[in-house]
Amino acid sequence: QVQLAESGGGLVQAGGSLRLSCAASGPTSGVHTKAWFRQAPGKEREFVAAIRWSGGSTDYADPVKGRFTISRDNARNMVFLQMNSLKPEDTAVYYCATRKGLGDYRSYVSYDYWGQGTQVTVSS
């Protein structure tokens, strides 16, 4: 069973930055994509960013393009989300996710494993 653990959330003022980390443990061979999703109160879980584990290609949701950067450290089996120019609308619980299969990488149903989430709160 793959286990994911996020860290790095917190409270920050608008315009500030945070860096989220996600550490993976367990049988992590065969991973295809790692991603970050977020869920705000009363809203559905939404795609934020994804990275191909082999090759490192990335994709971002439109609201975070140019502000967020996803990266990976294959040796340490970790994925990161650098968040700059944060806005109050970025406030949400952020989840790290991993999948070994294919399908729509922007859809949360494509992911096999999830972390417990880390709260990000951006004050205005």
Side-chain angles (χ1 to χ4, degrees):
Q1 182 82 3
V2 174
Q3 294 185 322
L4 304 175
E6 303 98 334
S7 60
L11 173 64
V12 64
Q13 288 188 331
S17 298
L18 283 173
R19 187 184 191 226
L20 306 184
S21 300
C22 175
S25 60
T28 55
S29 62
V31 169
H32 186 276
T33 310
K34 294 200 175 190
W36 290 93
F37 286 76
R38 66 186 182 186
Q39 189 165 18
K43 294 189 177 181
E44 290 191 355
R45 191 166 298 191
E46 65 175 1
F47 170 77
V48 175
I51 187 165
R52 284 279 298 271
W53 202 239
S54 176
S57 58
T58 59
D59 192 30
Y60 299 90
D62 285 344
V64 307
K65 277 183 181 177
R67 300 188 297 123
F68 290 11
T69 302
I70 188 170
S71 61
R72 76 198 198 288
D73 184 332
N74 295 56
R76 293 193 293 161
N77 220 341
M78 295 186 71
V79 64
F80 307 97
L81 186 68
Q82 178 65 43
M83 306 186 295
N84 298 329
S85 302
L86 283 161
K87 304 176 181 180
E89 51 263 44
D90 294 318
T91 296
V93 177
Y94 283 70
Y95 296 91
C96 173
T98 291
R99 67 175 192 165
K100 297 187 176 184
L102 300 177
D104 182 3
Y105 63 85
R106 286 176 169 241
S107 173
Y108 68 86
V109 301
S110 294
Y111 289 82
D112 308 299
Y113 306 101
W114 293 85
Q116 79 288 350
T118 185
Q119 177 70 46
V120 171
T121 303
V122 184
S123 63
S124 56

